[in-house]
Amino acid sequence: MNAEELYSMVHELFVDAHTSAGAARLRALVDSEWPRVKEREANAEDAEVCRLAMLAAAHVQDYGAVRLWRARALARFAAIGWVEGTASIIMGEAFMELARVNDDYSRGRTLNLIQPSSVALGVLGELERFTVGQGSGFQLGPSSPSQAVLKRLYHEKRGFLLLLGGAYHEAGASYDRAYDAAGTHQRGQVKVRLGRFLVDYLAADNSDARGRIAQQTDLLRQEALGASSLDVAETAAANVQVMRRGGSELLPYEIL
C-alpha cells in the first residue's frame, strides 16, 4: 500500500494500541509494510507511522522495538524538515533517562515509587525553542506533532516531571499552560486536566479536598470514555479508587 493508505490504517489501529492485542495488530501491519516504507523516499505519512509504531511498542514495554522505530521516525522527520516531529523524538530521550534512573521501573510505576530526574527535565527543556516561531507547517491529524501539539506535550510532560520532584506549584502552572495549548483537542484537554488533578491531590492537605479531587477525576474519566480515550479512562478509574481511600500509589497518565 502507499504511504497515505498505510498512515490511515495505522492511525485507526492506534486507538487500541494501549492493549496487547491492539499493539500486536498495529505492529504486525507496520512490520509487514516496512520493506516498502524502507524503499520509499522519506515523507510525512511514513514518519508518523514510525512514530506511532514506536509508541505502540512502548505501550507493551518492548524497548528494543521502541528504539528501532524511534530511529526510523527520527530519520524521516529530519529528512523532510519536520522539526516538531524531530523534537517529539528528543522528548522520548527524556523519558528514556527517567526509565534509566528508575531501573526500568523495577520498583513499580506509581508516583510514590518513581524517582525524579533533573537530567530528564533538562533534556525536555531543550524542546521549548520548538514551541515558538513559525514552525514547519506539518500536520497530518489532531495528534500528529504540529507546533501546537508539541507545545501542549512540552508543558504537559514538564508538569509531570516537576510533579515527580514535588514542585507542585511549578507543576500546576505547567499543566495550566498545557491546557491553554490544547485548544479544542478533546483527548489533550482531558489528559492535561487529569494530570493537573494529580498535582492538586498530592498538594492537598486534608481529606475533604482529596475527596473532591477524586470526584472531579471520576467525572473526567467519563469524559475520557466519550473522547475514545480508553487508556486514559482506565488509568483515571484506578486513580479514583486510590484517591477515595487517601492513598499515594497513583498511576501517571504518561507512557513510561
Side-chain angles (χ1 to χ4, degrees):
M1 65 184 72
N2 64 35
E4 292 81 5
E5 292 168 338
L6 177 60
Y7 168 69
S8 179
M9 291 187 66
V10 169
H11 183 266
E12 184 176 343
L13 288 171
F14 189 72
V15 173
D16 294 322
H18 66 286
T19 67
S20 296
R25 285 191 293 270
L26 189 154
R27 294 173 67 188
L29 174 61
V30 294
D31 284 343
S32 69
E33 288 294 317
W34 171 245
R36 282 166 286 283
V37 173
K38 182 180 179 181
E39 294 303 318
R40 279 199 289 262
E41 185 176 348
N43 60 79
E45 287 81 7
D46 283 342
E48 183 65 350
V49 161
C50 292
R51 188 183 74 90
L52 294 176
M54 174 192 76
L55 294 176
H59 272 304
V60 294
Q61 301 166 34
D62 184 344
Y63 298 119
V66 167
R67 292 180 177 88
L68 181 58
W69 287 106
R70 176 185 288 120
R72 290 168 172 173
L74 178 59
R76 284 156 183 77
F77 283 134
I80 64 175
W82 191 345
V83 294
E84 297 85 5
T86 303
S88 73
I89 302 301
I90 298 173
M91 185 180 293
E93 294 295 322
F95 280 80
M96 286 182 67
E97 174 61 18
L98 186 66
R100 186 195 66 80
V101 168
N102 284 276
D103 192 26
D104 287 335
Y105 306 104
S106 59
R107 295 173 62 235
R109 294 170 182 263
T110 54
L111 296 183
N112 60 319
L113 297 175
I114 301 174
Q115 298 299 308
S117 169
S118 60
V119 173
L121 195 56
V123 171
L124 187 70
E126 290 301 308
L127 303 185
E128 186 173 15
R129 70 188 69 218
F130 297 106
T131 66
V132 297
Q134 185 174 356
S136 67
F138 283 99
Q139 183 169 9
L140 295 181
S143 298
S144 68
S146 65
Q147 188 179 71
V149 168
L150 183 67
K151 186 174 183 179
R152 188 257 296 175
L153 290 175
Y154 165 71
H155 289 298
E156 181 182 0
K157 308 311 184 196
R158 184 172 180 271
F160 170 66
L161 294 177
L162 288 166
L163 169 63
L164 292 178
Y168 299 137
H169 179 75
E170 290 181 79
S174 198
Y175 274 115
D176 289 343
R177 287 191 286 272
Y179 184 77
D180 290 341
T184 59
H185 189 274
Q186 191 176 12
R187 176 184 168 89
Q189 288 179 345
V190 170
K191 189 164 171 283
V192 167
R193 289 168 66 195
L194 285 168
R196 175 67 204 237
F197 285 157
L198 291 178
V199 177
D200 294 343
Y201 177 85
L202 292 174
D205 57 4
N206 64 79
S207 58
D208 289 341
R210 289 188 165 189
R212 287 193 296 272
I213 295 165
Q215 290 179 331
Q216 292 170 318
T217 297
D218 195 37
L219 289 174
L220 269 183
R221 175 193 63 80
Q222 298 173 48
E223 194 171 328
L225 288 173
S228 300
S229 298
L230 182 58
D231 56 330
V232 175
E234 288 175 348
T235 301
N239 284 339
V240 168
Q241 297 304 312
V242 174
M243 289 174 174
R244 283 176 173 164
R245 56 180 169 76
S248 60
E249 60 276 23
L250 299 159
L251 292 167
Y253 295 99
E254 307 298 335
I255 302 174
L256 299 180

